[in-house]
Amino acid sequence: QVQLVESGGGLVETGGSLRLSCAASVATAGAGTMAWFRQAPGKERQFVGAIRFNGGHKYYSDSVKGRFFISRDKSMGQIHLEMSDVKAEDTAVYYCAAGRPILSSIRTVNGYTYWSQGTQVTVSS
């Protein structure tokens, strides 16, 4: 069974920075796309960003573009989410996902097969 192991998260002040990491097996990561989603209380799970693991092409939601950056470590089967200039509205549980979405599904929950357990990110004012 594929496992995605997430680390990072916690409490950060408005305007600060935080880094999330997600580890999958090299085979899982190399097979397709890894992504970050987030879910705030009472809201639907929302796309944050994704990376095509082999080609390295990246996709971001408009709400985080220019503030959040995704990187990958191919040898370790890991991706990272560098969060900067965080805002109160970034508060959510963040999930890592892996799958083989086609381009039209890359920003959708249904595009991914495997999910991490989630980690809480809280932005304080």
Side-chain angles (χ1 to χ4, degrees), residues 12-19 38 63-69 81-91 94 121 123-124:
V12 59
E13 293 184 349
T14 299
S17 300
L18 198 65
R19 187 192 204 212
R38 66 187 182 186
S63 61
V64 306
K65 195 175 295 182
R67 300 188 297 120
F68 291 11
F69 298 93
L81 181 67
E82 304 281 354
M83 306 166 61
S84 62
D85 189 23
V86 296
K87 305 175 182 180
E89 52 264 41
D90 295 323
T91 295
Y94 283 70
V121 171
V123 181
S124 65

Side-chain angles (χ1 to χ4, degrees), residues 78-117:
Q78 292 182 347
I79 63 168
H80 310 284
L81 181 67
E82 304 281 354
M83 306 166 61
S84 62
D85 189 23
V86 296
K87 305 175 182 180
E89 52 264 41
D90 295 323
T91 295
V93 176
Y94 283 70
Y95 297 90
C96 172
R100 299 187 182 188
I102 58 176
L103 185 58
S104 60
S105 298
I106 205 165
R107 291 177 169 82
T108 70
V109 170
N110 290 337
Y112 298 87
T113 306
Y114 306 107
W115 293 86
S116 68
Q117 77 282 4

Side-chain angles (χ1 to χ4, degrees), residues 22-77:
C22 178
S25 68
V26 174
T28 298
T33 301
M34 292 184 72
W36 294 97
F37 285 76
R38 66 187 182 186
Q39 189 166 18
K43 295 189 176 181
E44 294 185 351
R45 195 165 295 190
Q46 176 189 45
F47 173 76
V48 174
I51 183 168
R52 296 289 196 190
F53 206 80
N54 280 327
H57 197 86
K58 301 174 187 179
Y59 307 82
Y60 295 99
S61 69
D62 288 343
S63 61
V64 306
K65 195 175 295 182
R67 300 188 297 120
F68 291 11
F69 298 93
I70 295 176
S71 61
R72 75 189 194 282
D73 182 334
K74 293 181 71 174
S75 65
M76 298 293 290

